[in-house]
Amino acid sequence: MSRKLPLALLTSLVLAYGLPLAAQANPPSLSLNGFGTLGVVHSSEDQADFVSSMLMPRGAGHTSDWSAEVDSRLGLQLTANLTPRLSSVVQVVTEQQYDGQFRPAIEWANINYDVTPDLSLRVGRVILPVFMNSEYRKVGYATPWIRPPLEVYRTIPVSSADGVDVSYRSHIASVTNTLRATYGQSDATFPYIDAAMDRATAEARAREGLTISNTVEQGSISLFAAYSHYRLSIEDFNPLFDAFRMFGPEGDAIAERYNVDGKTFEAISLGARYDPGNWFVMGEWTQTSSRTFLADNRGWYISGGYRLGAFTPYLTYASQRILSKTSTPGLSQPGSEPLDAMLNSMLQGQPQQESVSVGVRWDFSSNMAVKAQFDHMNHEGKSRGYLVNSQPGFEPGGSVNLFSLALDFVF
Amino acid sequence: MPSRLTKIGCNLLLGLASSLALADAVVVVSAQSPVSTLTRSELTDIYLGRTNRFPGGQPAMPVDQRENSPAYVAFYRNYLGQTPAQIKMHWSRLIFTGRGQPPRSLADHQAMADFVAEQATAIGYVDGAYIDERLRVVAID
């Protein structure tokens, strides 16, 4: 991640606001909280790696029989309540980065100002609320599962943006409505296999990103809807499309259709949760579209669980499908075969799968939970699903079983 | 007088709803507070951080007893229908998005009775034995 926040600015703001307040009746307070997951994953497929995010290069399967790199992470958060209205949050998360290393990265660092008790403004690195559980998607303790269903959550792996966030809460009878708008930009470095079959990384840049989300809560019911819109560029893939352009107008047309160079990317998400106490059921549906080689996707899941004392067994069904074409005739001109093949492999590289997961969460102590989960994933078409690092012996389009164990904690 | 009757009613209901050891968590506010009744969903919204106001518009400051103390467990089970683990999960969602902090935690029934009595905006829960003229029992519909 090359995203750098003006930390110096943040610190000076904290100091500037913090010092005069020391004399006030409500003294500024500083609190440190943390969360983490220690998890291991075993995959039945040993010719490729299962990863939990497209930003990770290494996982369970080929690289290691039992991988602790898929789900393990540690988050630390410093919250400064400077005045009753002004607060600041800095959260650092250590997890596997695009180069396979575990390194801390700044997840959020922002200053929050409550204009009224129900209207708040944030500036800095803020949350990107694209999905129902995305605000706490990295806090394993906060969700029933080992990891949020990838059929939805993998489609937008980035969870923060540098910019501003406005949140407005309103109360109508017993209904609480929270409307949120986020505007900003984010960069993410992701690993991929290049044309020479070597490991490479590329930088995805999202600009002019606008996310509008709304949450309605009443008693045990929660409904979520979000719309996101941004301009996406992956400049590392431009040379490929420049090569297409050398074939004249036909090549230009292909480049225009599939390149990722300031293209509009849109996502719509809907979610619902019902949790009366002894049991819960929740589901989400999301659809993404862009005129790029990244496929238009539709993903959804439904998940339910029943609480038996400290144990919560749960069951999830999830599916992700590609709505756009996964192949193209390409140029079909003499000499264009390698280019056509490259483009087709990129189109086909998008995941398409369905999965059934069954697991149990055990809240054995007040700050800790242990989870065990079994996932059966079916890859459809010639998809590799969420597997990376595939070896020559790998056959796409099959099914994979995963077994995961995790300890989640908060403090 | 009505508050006394309400208290007895609450205790009876709670006694039926739960085991005796955990029965006596009664919702209270300061006697200076105008609040006398809340619906279950209003109480839930206040304790889950969805609102920081009572239905009448006055500021509401929920307070808790120690996490996992019998009163804490009884309160969340009887009034919100949730286990301590669920409550912990709920607050971990808000804390790690910087959107809220759980209610302030007080040591025991006596500490809570004293705190709520002093703070006109506070709302808490105590064993029936700790109720005195400084506190008002809130009827939960």
Side-chain angles (χ1 to χ4, degrees), chain A residues 127-314:
Chain A
I127 298 153
L128 209 55
V130 283
F131 305 120
M132 184 165 67
N133 298 299
S134 62
E135 295 193 321
Y136 44 85
R137 63 192 287 175
K138 294 188 176 179
V139 186
Y141 186 89
T143 65
W145 324 286
I146 294 261
R147 64 191 82 83
L150 299 182
E151 285 79 355
V152 168
Y153 283 78
R154 187 186 177 281
T155 50
I156 300 181
V158 177
S159 49
S160 62
D162 296 339
V164 293
D165 169 311
V166 182
S167 161
Y168 180 67
R169 198 162 58 170
S170 50
H171 309 274
I172 307 140
S174 59
V175 178
T176 304
N177 189 77
T178 310
L179 179 65
R180 197 165 288 158
T182 304
Y183 184 82
Q185 60 180 51
S186 52
D187 296 345
T189 305
F190 64 93
Y192 73 104
I193 302 294
D194 69 13
M197 298 307 282
D198 288 326
R199 288 184 182 209
T201 57
E203 175 113 337
R205 287 150 48 100
R207 292 293 176 270
E208 296 166 27
L210 176 68
T211 299
I212 295 170
S213 72
N214 194 68
T215 306
V216 180
E217 292 166 289
Q218 190 205 22
S220 311
I221 301 171
S222 180
L223 302 172
F224 174 87
Y227 170 76
S228 303
H229 177 121
Y230 50 89
R231 281 196 308 107
L232 187 67
S233 299
I234 307 176
E235 286 173 5
D236 301 79
F237 291 136
N238 285 355
L240 171 71
F241 296 105
D242 291 343
F244 271 104
R245 288 181 203 276
M246 294 196 300
F247 285 83
E250 209 189 337
D252 282 340
I254 286 181
E256 284 310 307
R257 168 64 184 84
Y258 291 111
N259 78 358
V260 189
D261 194 10
K263 288 275 186 75
T264 296
F265 190 100
E266 287 179 295
I268 298 171
S269 308
L270 299 172
R273 169 170 29 226
Y274 181 63
D275 187 344
N278 286 332
W279 58 282
F280 66 86
V281 59
M282 68 174 120
E284 281 184 85
W285 176 96
T286 191
Q287 191 162 312
T288 63
S289 60
S290 66
R291 279 187 59 82
T292 68
F293 72 82
L294 301 165
D296 294 353
N297 281 292
R298 179 181 296 158
W300 64 277
Y301 72 83
I302 182 155
S303 183
Y306 192 83
R307 299 188 179 94
L308 296 158
F311 292 92
T312 309
Y314 57 89

Side-chain angles (χ1 to χ4, degrees), chain A residues 74-152:
Chain A
L74 178 69
L76 287 173
Q77 176 174 306
L78 199 61
T79 309
N81 290 306
L82 306 167
T83 76
R85 288 185 160 193
L86 190 68
S87 61
S88 174
V89 172
V90 177
Q91 188 182 104
V92 174
V93 176
T94 303
E95 60 187 345
Q96 190 192 161
Q97 305 291 344
Y98 64 87
D99 55 2
Q101 301 294 309
F102 272 73
R103 252 198 328 272
I106 292 176
E107 181 77 5
W108 302 319
N110 56 59
I111 288 177
N112 180 81
Y113 181 71
D114 290 333
V115 182
T116 72
D118 291 322
L119 175 66
S120 63
L121 292 175
R122 288 174 174 226
V123 182
R125 181 162 295 171
V126 296
I127 298 153
L128 209 55
V130 283
F131 305 120
M132 184 165 67
N133 298 299
S134 62
E135 295 193 321
Y136 44 85
R137 63 192 287 175
K138 294 188 176 179
V139 186
Y141 186 89
T143 65
W145 324 286
I146 294 261
R147 64 191 82 83
L150 299 182
E151 285 79 355
V152 168

Side-chain angles (χ1 to χ4, degrees), chain B residues 46-65:
Chain B
I46 290 169
Y47 266 90
L48 295 186
R50 288 180 191 159
T51 180
N52 42 25
R53 285 171 192 273
F54 287 111
Q58 312 88 349
M61 177 182 32
V63 285
D64 261 331
Q65 296 208 24

Side-chain angles (χ1 to χ4, degrees), chain A residues 33-35 77 91 108 117 122 127 135-136 141-142 169 171 174 180 217 219 277 307 366-367, chain B residues 41 45 49-53 67-68 81-82 85-86 88-89 92-93 95-99 101:
Chain A
N33 295 98
F35 62 87
Q77 176 174 306
Q91 188 182 104
W108 302 319
R122 288 174 174 226
I127 298 153
E135 295 193 321
Y136 44 85
Y141 186 89
R169 198 162 58 170
H171 309 274
S174 59
R180 197 165 288 158
E217 292 166 289
R307 299 188 179 94
S366 70
N367 296 320
Chain B
S41 86
D45 287 348
R50 288 180 191 159
T51 180
N52 42 25
R53 285 171 192 273
E67 206 177 287
N68 292 313
Q82 303 210 15
Q86 280 173 272
K88 193 92 188 172
M89 197 160 144
S92 66
R93 289 173 179 165
I95 290 170
F96 294 114
T97 53
R99 298 204 185 277
Q101 290 287 329

